[in-house]
Amino acid sequence: MSLNARSRERLKGVHPDLVAVVERAAAIGPAFIVTEGLRTAERQKQLVAAGASRTMNSRHITGHAVDLAALVDGKVRWDWPLYHKLAAAMKQAAAERNVAIIWGGDWKSFPDGPHFELARAAYP
């Protein structure tokens, strides 16, 4: 599978290494769309106020993060097991590209299955 035009548009402003990982994961993994990439500080503030995020130090603001949504039969699904499959594809793609990523689903507090970001140690 390849990314649709809307997903490609949402990758504008995202770090090229993360874009390459997302594109590779789309080719090897389960179907998904990009729901958000680069985010303004104002958008981040709205998400914090709504409880959808807990930080104003989001990697989205710098183009170092993306949110992905799993697709099943062309429809967005939020079932947690789908995000483990999506994470496996993203981690494989990152390893192939030698890009250090973090999956929000691995976070102990506030796990975030759709979220993937470049590791801060490698991408300050």
Side-chain angles (χ1 to χ4, degrees), residues 63-82:
H64 288 86
V66 294
D67 289 335
L68 308 178
L71 294 176
V72 176
D73 297 326
K75 296 183 191 232
V76 171
R77 296 280 299 269
W78 301 108
D79 315 41
W80 190 251
L82 295 171

Side-chain angles (χ1 to χ4, degrees), residues 13-81:
V14 172
H15 192 286
D17 289 353
L18 186 52
V19 171
V21 169
V22 171
E23 289 173 340
R24 176 65 181 140
I28 62 173
F32 66 86
I33 59 168
V34 178
T35 59
E36 213 161 6
L38 183 64
R39 203 181 270 168
T40 65
E42 184 57 37
R43 169 81 174 133
Q44 187 63 31
K45 195 181 296 184
Q46 292 169 349
L47 292 171
V48 170
S53 179
R54 292 187 177 177
T55 183
M56 282 303 297
N57 193 25
S58 172
R59 301 286 278 166
H60 285 280
I61 295 171
T62 59
H64 288 86
V66 294
D67 289 335
L68 308 178
L71 294 176
V72 176
D73 297 326
K75 296 183 191 232
V76 171
R77 296 280 299 269
W78 301 108
D79 315 41
W80 190 251

Side-chain angles (χ1 to χ4, degrees), residues 4-18:
N4 65 22
R6 187 178 223 175
S7 289
R8 290 193 181 286
E9 181 67 26
R10 291 174 178 164
L11 287 173
K12 286 186 178 175
V14 172
H15 192 286
D17 289 353
L18 186 52

